[in-house]
Amino acid sequence: MAVVGRAASRSAANGPASLQDMRRQNLAVVLAAVAAHSPLSRADVSGRVGLTRAAVSSLVDELIGRGAVTEAAATASGRVGRPGRALTVSGEGPAGLGLEIGVGHLGACVADLRGEPRLWRRVERANAGRPPGTVLAELAALAAEAEAEAAALGLRVEGRVLAVPGVVPNEPRGLVERAPNLGWHTVGIADHWPEPETAPEPENEANLGALAEYWNAGTPVETFVHVSAGAGIGAALVIDGRLFRGARGFAGELGHVPVHPEGPECACGARGCLEQYAGEAAVLREAGLAQDGPGDPVALLAERAANGHAPTLAALDRAGRALGLALTSAVDLIDPDGLVLGGAYAELADWLLPSVCAELAARVTVRPWAAEALRPSALGRRGPLLGAALTTIRRIMADPTLLPAG
Amino acid sequence: MAVVGRAASRSAANGPASLQDMRRQNLAVVLAAVAAHSPLSRADVSGRVGLTRAAVSSLVDELIGRGAVTEAAATASGRVGRPGRALTVSGEGPAGLGLEIGVGHLGACVADLRGEPRLWRRVERANAGRPPGTVLAELAALAAEAEAEAAALGLRVEGRVLAVPGVVPNEPRGLVERAPNLGWHTVGIADHWPEPETAPEPENEANLGALAEYWNAGTPVETFVHVSAGAGIGAALVIDGRLFRGARGFAGELGHVPVHPEGPECACGARGCLEQYAGEAAVLREAGLAQDGPGDPVALLAERAANGHAPTLAALDRAGRALGLALTSAVDLIDPDGLVLGGAYAELADWLLPSVCAELAARVTVRPWAAEALRPSALGRRGPLLGAALTTIRRIMADPTLLPAG
DNA sequence: GGGTGTTTGTCAGGACTCTCAACAAATTAG
DNA sequence: CTAATTTGTTGAGAGTCCTGACAAACACCC
């Protein structure tokens, strides 16, 4: 019962609309209203979304039948009239499983329909260079454990999404085209999964981090660029609240934007790419640190910066200016409402933000540009895993008929 | 942590669906099928879009009543069975009016529902620095003439769109925030229009040029960047077949993307913006030509380049390389299916393309990049005006109920 | 030429979903 | 305890599409 829903019918030219489509959308509308303002009575929902109480009643009945909504006990409202029955998004039943493969760990997370992460699992593993089959077998075991534990909490996993530090093309789905830090090339996830029918759908970790940031924000910005540094530098573009993957799925390759055209040669063959200034390896080198030293290099950088270590501060300043330069291009092209620094950048934001901000302020002059638009990620490195778990949740919210009828 | 705080999806955010919405979409689907493959019988449409013949009949009747579709005479098909009655998109009745204000001219164009431009009007006017009221009064007169002439062709203008060489923010609509080449600042079009109810809706000319390119293409690319040079350099982003205007309407400001961070100072206050290398003024200067000489400077450049004038060729090569550098950023960020050189660039494509292409080939290495994706615009300078006229047509195609019922 | 088969367009009945209006249920106010 | 108010449900009605049937219009075959 993979919740692999197609994208919601976007354009009018796609195909004819049916009564079922109408019903589907209205179920989603009601569910969204309950999610946004619960607890809500049927009458409240009716007044809020514009459907009649009769229609809302029918829709709510179906949502309850599918396990998406639960009816709480009657509340003493204190107001005149018959009290409404409080509706909430169900905290049991349907759930989403997020999985993650990092260079140094495997992770799992289960989120309920309310969007709350209900359990986290993480095991340290040096995955770089290991065969995909081995890694995925271990991950499948971790996933099975997580699903079992979730079942004990009354949660039933309806969909599985896997965050990978690599490129996931639009077509064909289910493929990791390359993940340099893992040493993967053209790995079909389902091909290595013990039970192919429960194989997770891979997605780039930076993209999932950006979506998590969006879904998790109190007052979400609809159009923003989410920059996240791991070994490479990736940008995820969220446009009008939806992830933009580009024509082939390669959008957001910020790491190889040219910032100094005549600069040092990059592994990609070009010169002066952003990665040569703001990539992890470049910053470590510039800061005089060994690249493959023990421990978490990002934490080490943060520690040295906090201690006022001059080479580290200089390296971060240099990185920030280069990043600001690359983001100037992004702002000029995309006109986003926000810029979010995620991944490792979030932990280094204190030392990066000033120079990024200064560069942007100096170069983005032909349009209104607010420094507040630039901020570090609130989720940091947990973002991708949470985003993976929430992907299934948001799909169900957008189309509750993906859930089996009661 | 209120993850599911806001509307779950785009569709859910938009409110409940009604039977009328379903009807609207199905009218659009049928109309789109007729437009794409006419002539088509009702049965053909039914087989193609998946609605039953009965439903298609009802929808076609309504489309005929609204004047969007006409029933041609019976055709001798030669096939067995009762012949179908041929349906075509109406070439009379509903039409769109496009208007254009350029630095040196005013323009008007009327397109029918088939998307065919049926009449063009153009008058030379030195509009730079003239008061908006004067320009718009003249344009209104031109528009009235065009509408009268269109009426003689049996066309009834259902919407008016104005292409301007300036910035048109998302909110409020109807406003030209600034048009440097005209000397305009914060001009409300309707405020200066003789009859406010027929005032056209302004839109940036580069955006309209890109849309025209998309709508006019035989096999449209769904996601592309359309670069167009006039006095400034603008890029329009078409994403999944829809114009992306950015959070505020300022997307595509390619002219001020930094290409050489330490390069010459730009009027915008930054250094090394693309405009300093590939802008009209910069190219003319570099080619040793007077900027305000007589005649069309672009035509002059093309002529000299064709004659092998060395400084001109060098200037164009330099411009092309800078443009390639800026487009590298765009390709890395957006992952488009195509890059289109429009506006003045289209006429200089012979000398620009090689260096643009070379720069892209050298710098876009981490993803598949096909040189064929880069091509000059087929419409050239007529694009914006055609796009303005077609905007109304495409709106009607997407929602035929915009037409008055017969 | 006439009968047969095929395809088209339309019509009547049914299913689904929303709206409207009425009503019973549950609570507060007096 | 009665009246007022609000909630949730029910039944009738309208709009839209689907199903199945049917007349109309043509080609093909004898």
Side-chain angles (χ1 to χ4, degrees):
Chain A
M1 110 178 31
V3 178
V4 190
R6 329 143 293 164
S9 63
R10 173 182 51 80
S11 162
N14 277 356
S18 64
L19 285 168
Q20 283 70 28
D21 294 331
M22 182 168 87
R23 182 75 171 177
R24 211 190 323 272
Q25 173 157 352
N26 287 342
L27 285 168
V29 167
V30 168
L31 183 53
V34 173
H37 308 97
S38 66
L40 235 51
S41 71
R42 290 164 176 78
D44 291 336
V45 173
S46 165
R48 199 173 278 276
V49 308
L51 292 162
T52 61
R53 291 204 308 272
V56 170
S57 254
S58 159
L59 291 160
V60 165
D61 284 351
E62 179 166 347
L63 288 173
I64 291 175
R66 292 184 186 273
V69 162
T70 50
E71 203 163 20
T75 60
S77 67
R79 289 204 322 268
V80 108
R82 170 177 166 178
R85 276 185 282 169
L87 301 171
T88 1
V89 174
S90 179
E92 295 195 342
L97 173 65
L99 299 169
E100 181 175 36
I101 300 176
V103 177
H105 74 283
L106 300 175
C109 170
V110 175
D112 63 22
L113 210 50
R114 290 176 178 154
E116 298 291 339
R118 297 288 291 277
L119 70 90
W120 298 88
R121 300 289 296 253
R122 182 186 171 103
V123 296
E124 306 300 318
R125 286 286 183 284
N127 290 319
R130 287 172 81 205
T134 315
V135 176
L136 289 172
E138 278 194 15
L139 185 64
L142 185 69
E145 280 180 43
E147 290 202 31
E149 200 171 329
L153 294 169
L155 296 170
R156 184 182 68 250
V157 169
E158 296 281 351
R160 300 155 188 89
V161 175
L162 167 61
V164 289
V167 175
V168 179
N170 287 348
E171 293 294 336
R173 300 297 307 176
L175 198 73
V176 177
E177 185 161 299
R178 59 194 155 79
N181 309 328
L182 299 176
W184 287 16
H185 279 274
T186 317
V187 174
I189 299 298
D191 301 338
H192 298 89
W193 204 257
E195 300 167 76
E197 66 275 12
T198 66
E201 180 185 339
E203 174 58 284
N204 175 271
E205 61 168 3
N207 288 346
L208 292 171
L211 286 172
E213 194 74 26
Y214 173 65
W215 291 330
N216 212 44
T219 57
V221 169
E222 296 279 320
T223 299
F224 65 95
V225 178
H226 184 272
V227 186
S228 98
I233 301 175
L237 276 48
V238 175
I239 288 179
D240 292 335
R242 298 183 351 159
L243 181 66
F244 174 66
R245 298 178 42 85
R248 291 170 211 79
F250 299 154
E253 189 68 68
L254 197 68
H256 297 284
V257 163
V259 289
H260 291 101
E262 315 304 335
E265 196 166 332
C266 177
C268 77
R271 306 189 76 91
C273 300
L274 174 63
E275 247 181 47
Q276 295 304 310
Y277 301 86
E280 191 176 288
V283 174
L284 287 172
R285 178 174 13 87
E286 206 72 10
L289 292 171
Q291 201 177 146
D292 48 1
D296 180 357
V298 175
L300 190 58
L301 277 175
E303 183 194 325
R304 299 226 178 173
N307 290 338
H309 184 241
T312 301
L313 291 174
L316 289 175
D317 178 69
R318 177 168 169 272
R321 275 183 289 124
L323 191 53
L325 214 40
L327 288 179
T328 299
S329 299
V331 169
D332 276 339
L333 283 170
I334 316 269
D335 182 29
D337 250 344
L339 291 177
V340 181
L341 295 189
Y345 286 149
E347 293 159 44
L348 299 169
D350 284 348
W351 303 281
L352 284 170
L353 273 183
S355 47
V356 175
C357 223
E359 202 71 32
L360 279 168
R363 295 190 179 269
V364 180
T365 60
V366 294
R367 73 183 68 206
W369 171 250
E372 308 87 69
L374 178 66
R375 60 181 179 78
S377 158
L379 295 167
R381 298 200 219 180
R382 279 181 314 145
L385 188 48
L386 183 58
L390 292 184
T391 296
T392 298
I393 301 306
R394 303 302 288 219
R395 282 186 189 153
I396 293 172
M397 297 294 291
D399 180 4
T401 63
L402 291 172
L403 295 173
Chain B
M1 94 167 80
V3 167
V4 191
R6 285 220 352 158
S9 78
R10 171 141 301 280
S11 51
N14 287 352
S18 64
L19 285 168
Q20 284 69 31
D21 294 332
M22 181 169 83
R23 181 75 171 177
R24 212 190 323 273
Q25 173 157 349
N26 287 343
L27 285 168
V29 166
V30 168
L31 184 53
V34 172
H37 308 97
S38 66
L40 235 51
S41 71
R42 290 165 175 77
D44 290 335
V45 173
S46 165
R48 198 173 278 277
V49 308
L51 292 161
T52 61
R53 292 202 309 269
V56 170
S57 254
S58 158
L59 292 161
V60 165
D61 285 350
E62 180 166 348
L63 288 172
I64 291 175
R66 291 185 187 273
V69 162
T70 50
E71 203 163 20
T75 60
S77 67
R79 289 203 323 266
V80 134
R82 169 177 166 179
R85 277 186 280 169
L87 301 171
T88 359
V89 175
S90 179
E92 294 195 344
L97 173 64
L99 299 169
E100 182 175 36
I101 300 177
V103 178
H105 74 283
L106 299 176
C109 170
V110 175
D112 63 25
L113 209 51
R114 292 176 178 156
E116 296 292 333
R118 298 288 292 277
L119 70 90
W120 296 89
R121 300 291 295 253
R122 183 185 169 103
V123 297
E124 306 300 319
R125 286 286 184 283
N127 291 319
R130 288 172 80 202
T134 314
V135 176
L136 288 172
E138 277 193 17
L139 185 63
L142 185 68
E145 279 179 45
E147 290 203 31
E149 201 171 328
L153 293 169
L155 296 171
R156 185 182 66 252
V157 168
E158 295 281 350
R160 298 154 189 90
V161 174
L162 168 60
V164 289
V167 175
V168 179
N170 287 348
E171 293 293 334
R173 298 299 306 177
L175 198 72
V176 177
E177 185 162 299
R178 59 193 155 80
N181 308 329
L182 299 175
W184 288 16
H185 279 274
T186 317
V187 174
I189 299 298
D191 301 338
H192 298 88
W193 204 258
E195 300 167 75
E197 66 275 12
T198 65
E201 180 185 337
E203 174 58 284
N204 175 270
E205 60 167 4
N207 288 347
L208 292 172
L211 286 172
E213 194 74 26
Y214 173 65
W215 290 330
N216 217 47
T219 56
V221 169
E222 295 280 318
T223 298
F224 65 94
V225 178
H226 184 272
V227 186
S228 99
I233 301 175
L237 277 47
V238 175
I239 288 179
D240 292 335
R242 295 174 2 149
L243 182 67
F244 174 66
R245 298 178 43 85
R248 291 170 211 78
F250 300 155
E253 191 68 70
L254 197 69
H256 298 284
V257 163
V259 288
H260 291 101
E262 316 304 335
E265 196 166 333
C266 177
C268 78
R271 307 188 73 91
C273 300
L274 174 62
E275 244 179 52
Q276 296 304 308
Y277 301 86
E280 189 175 291
V283 174
L284 287 172
R285 178 173 13 86
E286 205 73 9
L289 293 171
Q291 199 176 144
D292 47 0
D296 180 356
V298 175
L300 190 57
L301 278 175
E303 184 193 325
R304 296 224 180 175
N307 290 339
H309 184 239
T312 300
L313 291 174
L316 289 174
D317 178 70
R318 179 170 168 270
R321 275 182 289 124
L323 191 52
L325 214 40
L327 288 179
T328 299
S329 298
V331 169
D332 277 338
L333 283 169
I334 315 269
D335 182 27
D337 250 345
L339 291 177
V340 181
L341 296 188
Y345 286 149
E347 294 159 43
L348 300 170
D350 284 348
W351 303 280
L352 285 169
L353 273 183
S355 47
V356 174
C357 223
E359 203 70 31
L360 280 167
R363 294 189 180 272
V364 179
T365 60
V366 293
R367 74 182 69 207
W369 171 251
E372 310 85 70
L374 177 67
R375 59 182 179 79
S377 158
L379 295 167
R381 297 200 219 180
R382 280 180 313 148
L385 186 48
L386 182 59
L390 291 184
T391 296
T392 297
I393 300 306
R394 303 302 287 221
R395 281 187 190 151
I396 293 172
M397 298 294 292
D399 180 4
T401 64
L402 292 172
L403 294 174

